[in-house]
Amino acid sequence: IMHASSLGGTYKRILKVFKMLDHDDSGALDTSELDQLIDLLKIPVKPEELKSIQKESDVDGDSNISFKEFFVTLILVYLVSEQRSENSESNSNIQHLADSIISAYLIFDPECFGYIKKTQVAQLSTRDDGSDIFLNEDRWKEMDWDENQSIDFSEFVYTFATWMTDFHDDDLEDN
């Protein structure tokens, strides 16, 4: 699941695009800055879909899209786009990232309920001796942003972005 190092090049390209869109250098994208993403990627997304994506991506509810929330935005744009197989390099990178995250998510939600329960994660991360290789209370709180005892896809992607950011911390120093 965690092959963050193999996605390093994609991470850096996403950071570069984020910084390019962040015209006011606030460290977050507002609606007008986010609108430019669709033009940049040349992916047809309806305005109402983009508003819905922005709302779903805004994990902390501050009406702006942080860099980590930008990961969520890109994945959701990819999922709603009818033109996923565009052959541009940026779309190919997004497709690879999205496919990796979706595959990881589906390990925990194979029946596509739209959320992951703590018991599902515990079942998949327990060793033969009963110890847990992944899940502890801190890890669960890191993933369950709204504290509703389940992780939806946006929370999962946001957490993945957090881990990627932690892995590439030195790249964000300029942000």
Side-chain angles (χ1 to χ4, degrees), residues 32-81:
S32 66
E33 292 169 325
L34 191 59
D35 286 342
Q36 295 173 31
L37 172 66
I38 302 308
D39 295 333
L40 180 70
L41 295 177
K42 295 177 177 51
I43 296 176
V45 176
K46 297 173 185 156
E48 62 272 10
E49 288 176 326
L50 186 58
K51 279 187 177 185
S52 180
I53 288 169
Q54 183 176 8
K55 183 177 180 190
E56 187 68 27
S57 300
D58 186 15
V59 175
D60 62 12
D62 69 354
S63 299
N64 290 306
I65 301 298
S66 69
F67 178 65
K68 294 172 191 174
E69 292 167 332
F70 188 61
F71 267 76
V72 179
T73 302
L74 285 174
I75 301 306
L76 294 177
V77 164
Y78 168 78
L79 288 174
V80 302
S81 171

Side-chain angles (χ1 to χ4, degrees), residues 67-135:
F67 178 65
K68 294 172 191 174
E69 292 167 332
F70 188 61
F71 267 76
V72 179
T73 302
L74 285 174
I75 301 306
L76 294 177
V77 164
Y78 168 78
L79 288 174
V80 302
S81 171
E82 296 173 10
Q83 197 174 0
R84 289 187 203 135
S85 60
E86 179 103 7
N87 285 335
S88 75
E89 182 180 350
S90 63
N91 288 351
S92 174
N93 290 329
I94 293 169
Q95 184 173 355
H96 175 67
L97 177 66
D99 290 345
S100 297
I101 292 172
I102 292 165
S103 295
Y105 181 81
L106 290 175
I107 290 170
F108 299 103
D109 185 16
E111 306 215 6
C112 301
F113 291 123
Y115 58 85
I116 300 168
K117 292 290 188 187
K118 192 176 191 177
T119 54
Q120 292 166 294
V121 177
Q123 286 173 346
L124 290 169
S125 64
T126 303
R127 293 184 178 132
D128 291 338
D129 66 3
S131 64
D132 198 312
I133 59 174
F134 176 76
L135 188 64

